[in-house]
Amino acid sequence: GLPYAFAYFITDGQGADEALQIYRETFRPSATLSRPAATVCVWALAADTDEQALHLFESRARWKMDRNLGRIGPLLSPEEAVRDYGPAEQFALQRLREGALIGSASTVGAKLRQLAARLQVDELVVITWTHDPAAQMRSYELLAREFALGAHC
């Protein structure tokens, strides 16, 4: 058997439970791996406050909403990302925000720990892309500190 990695960030988690279940049910031990080993790769963004993270998230939200319409463009700044959304888009946007792994380091840390426990995965890989490289680096810094200091790691 081989380890398995699911790109949760691409589907916003859709299909993760089913894919991991199939992997575990069909896993066969090998000379290099005696039990299933699953990794989930997520998009997460930590900032100094929940509010700041939500503001930074506007870039990703706009990109994803535009992509749903077949428009693939550059990642805009949060200020440039603001646009009017139709009723169906507003519903989709609200669901996107609710499911997003965004917030302060403690908020995101709690969400990541809950996700890992729910999916019963051995490892989470975090990617963050933002309009601002400094915000990206700050997110990684905050999350590194959160998990280095956390007792659940």
Side-chain angles (χ1 to χ4, degrees):
L2 296 171
Y4 179 71
F6 185 86
Y8 192 98
F9 69 95
I10 293 176
T11 66
D12 293 317
Q14 186 175 0
D17 295 276
E18 297 86 351
L20 290 167
Q21 180 181 348
I22 291 168
Y23 167 68
R24 290 180 180 120
E25 288 174 356
T26 59
F27 178 84
R28 299 291 175 263
S30 68
T32 57
L33 194 62
S34 61
R35 66 176 190 84
T39 299
V40 172
C41 185
V42 300
W43 182 92
L45 172 66
D48 292 310
T49 65
D50 289 340
E51 295 74 22
Q52 185 183 11
L54 187 58
H55 174 72
L56 291 168
F57 181 67
E58 290 303 321
S59 299
R60 179 170 170 82
R62 167 69 183 269
W63 188 89
K64 288 184 76 73
M65 297 303 290
D66 284 356
R67 186 195 64 182
N68 290 345
L69 298 173
R71 288 183 279 194
I72 306 295
L75 195 62
L76 302 171
S77 71
E79 294 75 22
E80 294 172 310
V82 176
R83 74 163 169 86
D84 290 331
Y85 294 102
E89 285 183 309
Q90 288 177 15
F91 178 76
L93 188 58
Q94 185 59 32
R95 290 194 56 177
L96 183 63
R97 284 187 184 123
E98 289 170 359
L101 301 167
I102 59 173
S104 67
S106 61
T107 297
V108 176
K111 289 179 180 183
L112 290 173
R113 289 180 179 103
Q114 288 169 359
L115 179 65
R118 183 177 69 77
L119 295 176
Q120 300 174 17
V121 293
D122 303 289
E123 180 180 50
L124 289 176
V125 176
V126 174
I127 63 166
T128 302
W129 48 265
T130 65
H131 175 71
D132 180 3
Q136 179 188 40
M137 292 304 299
R138 180 68 175 153
S139 178
Y140 287 139
E141 177 188 349
L142 290 167
L143 290 174
R145 192 176 305 154
E146 170 70 18
F147 282 92
L149 299 176
H152 305 359
C153 301

